[in-house]
Structures are given as structure tokens and as C-alpha cells.
Amino acid sequence: MDKLDAMRTFVRVTEAGNFSRTAAEFGVSPSYISKQMAYLEGELGVRLLQRTTRSINLTQAGEVYLTQCQQILEHISVAESNLTELKGTPSGRLRISFSSILGEKNTAACCTEFMALYPDIDLDILIDDRIVDLVEEGFDLCIRASTTMPDSSLIRKNIGEMVTHLLASKSYIEKYGEPLQPSDLVTHRFIGHTYVKNTVFTFKHDQGTDKVTIPKKVRVNSTYFVRQMVETGQGIAFLPAYFKNATPDLVTLLPHCYPSSIDISAVYPERAFTPVKTHKFIAFFQEWFQRHMEVC
């Protein structure tokens, strides 16, 4: 076995917390991960991990070796990336978590355009609105529809703003009526996103500002699901402007109120060295977003 490869696996096992998750990420079997760890321990003559049916813990020797492995692998990454930059061809796997608010079609279009520019980069995409643990789950970066930074070890780069409208279908308005003032919303069927915790919404207009508590009829963790319910007349929701542009049947409610917006950010781990491929994607995504999403 290759010792350097085993060192990479060892570091990832300590981050992921188990063999199965690491094996799934690397596309191998858990037994192969176990063999790599046994090989590494055999080469070193010490036990690195204490394994039980429920958990994996570092031994004292494992803690010392982990720090050294991380430093060695970081230096190798720097050296390889410096050469890559000189060649001008970033390569390797880039693992990205996207918020569903961009829409699967838009996300696919973005990634397709990026791959055309950088054919040597392999993309590993997750579309999920939960806040992922970038380090533990092995992500290079994530695209978030939030400014919340629960982990101080992360770096956030602002990408831009996505305009949102309070939308309903024509069939919904025919059945439940159209709210004329923000206060009317308390009797309507509001569909909210699970990760948006607030129930008090602010509406700004020429006469001032209204704050309204809107109970949620439905809570769900998928922007696509919210859109489907709105389009089928099951409720109203705040959705990105591009949904309305793509669906003529949708109506903007309270048009006298100013549109709200959502901050879109790229978030990645703070480290001594960030791979060139990560920087390339962030720069590309910001330019792509400004061309396609901020004009909606």
C-alpha cells in the first residue's frame, strides 16, 4: 500500500468519525479503509486509533501523528497547487454544497459552464439547505443563502443578493383572496422554509414599515418543494424573483411593498493554504451569479 495515501485516509477518518463515511467519500469499501489503517499502524509500530462498535478515538500517539500528517499533506498540497498554477490548469476533485434556493436547473447550468472552463476539475455536488460541517464532511466550500457564520474557522465571501417576492398563484388568489395590506397575511396559508426561524416579517413601503407575525401553514427544508406548493395553489411564500419570471401564473403580492433580498455567500475553511481550484470556482461563481441571478 502507499503510505501517503494511507496518511490521507487516516486524516479523513479522524475528521469523518467512522470508516463507512470515509469509504463512501473515497468510493471504496470500509474493509479497505480498515486495511489501510492496519497497514499504517504496522509500518509505525504503534496504535493510532481506538475502535469500538460506536466510535473511533485517537490514541495519544495518534494525536501526535495526526498533527504531523496534516502538516505534511498541507505542504504537499501547496507544492502541487503551485505547479498547477504555473501550468494554469487546476485539477482534482472539488466538493461543493449548494443551497436549493438557486434552483437545480440554475445550479446545473452554473456547474456545466464551470466544467467547460476547467475540464480537469471533477465536481462532487450536494444540494442541501442545512448548514453542513465543511471540515467533518469533507467539503471544499459551500454556497449559502445566509450570512450566519456558526464556526469562526470559516471564511465567508459575499457573492451578491438575490431578490425575493411574496408570491401566490392565480388559483390561490381566486380561492383565498388577495391580501391588500401586510396585516392581511395573518389569515393566509404561508409556506416557510425550515431553516428560516423567524415568523415576524418586515414590509417596507412609501408610507413606512409594517411588521407582521405570519404563522406557517407548512414548513419544509426544500425551496423546490415550496415552489411546487405555491404553483399548485396551496399557499403563499417568499421566493426568488426568477421563479416568477419562469412561471407566468405566479402573482406578486403586496406590490406596493419593496422587494426583500437574500444574501448569497461562498464559505470555505480557513487554512494556511486554500487550493487554487477553490479560488477559481468562487471567482467564477461570483461572475456567473452577477450575470444570471442578480438581474432577475
Side-chain angles (χ1 to χ4, degrees), residues 118-131:
Y118 302 101
D120 294 330
I121 295 179
D122 301 323
L123 296 182
D124 185 350
I125 304 298
L126 173 73
I127 299 178
D128 194 336
D129 288 330
R130 67 186 174 87
I131 297 179

Side-chain angles (χ1 to χ4, degrees), residues 33-75:
I33 300 296
S34 181
K35 288 178 183 178
Q36 282 189 302
M37 295 302 93
Y39 159 76
L40 198 57
E41 290 177 331
E43 286 288 298
L44 297 170
V46 295
R47 181 171 291 279
L48 301 173
L49 300 169
Q50 294 287 358
R51 298 182 283 274
T52 69
T53 56
R54 292 182 177 273
S55 65
I56 293 177
N57 297 301
L58 286 166
T59 63
Q60 185 175 1
E63 291 179 357
V64 174
Y65 190 63
L66 174 62
T67 300
Q68 298 299 319
C69 283
Q70 290 171 327
Q71 292 175 353
I72 291 169
L73 294 174
E74 188 76 9
H75 287 310

Side-chain angles (χ1 to χ4, degrees), residues 73-94:
L73 294 174
E74 188 76 9
H75 287 310
I76 291 173
S77 293
V78 171
E80 291 177 345
S81 185
N82 285 340
L83 290 176
T84 298
E85 264 195 301
L86 290 174
K87 292 189 299 180
T89 55
S91 61
R93 187 184 73 153
L94 185 63

Side-chain angles (χ1 to χ4, degrees), residues 107-230:
T107 302
C110 170
C111 292
T112 298
E113 191 173 328
F114 179 77
M115 289 188 295
L117 289 174
Y118 302 101
D120 294 330
I121 295 179
D122 301 323
L123 296 182
D124 185 350
I125 304 298
L126 173 73
I127 299 178
D128 194 336
D129 288 330
R130 67 186 174 87
I131 297 179
V132 300
D133 187 319
L134 275 75
V135 175
E136 182 178 342
E137 298 182 53
F139 285 97
D140 294 292
L141 75 152
C142 68
I143 304 300
R144 284 185 180 161
S146 170
T147 57
T148 303
M149 294 289 289
D151 191 336
S152 60
S153 67
L154 301 177
I155 299 173
R156 172 183 172 269
K157 178 176 177 58
N158 182 59
I159 298 298
E161 292 184 342
M162 182 177 287
V163 174
T164 62
H165 294 289
L166 184 59
L167 300 177
S169 68
K170 293 177 182 177
S171 61
Y172 175 90
I173 293 174
E174 290 173 0
K175 186 173 182 179
Y176 296 101
E178 181 176 357
L180 301 178
Q181 301 297 331
S183 58
D184 296 339
L185 295 174
V186 296
T187 61
H188 280 266
R189 299 165 62 89
F190 184 70
I191 303 168
H193 201 287
T194 302
Y195 298 110
V196 178
K197 302 301 182 182
N198 63 299
T199 57
V200 179
F201 294 88
T202 300
F203 296 87
K204 296 181 180 180
H205 44 80
D206 291 339
Q207 285 71 45
T209 300
D210 293 333
K211 290 188 177 182
V212 182
T213 300
I214 310 175
K216 296 179 181 179
K217 181 69 174 177
V218 177
R219 297 171 63 93
V220 64
N221 67 337
S222 165
T223 305
Y224 178 78
F225 191 98
V226 175
R227 175 184 181 177
Q228 290 297 108
M229 295 204 76
V230 171

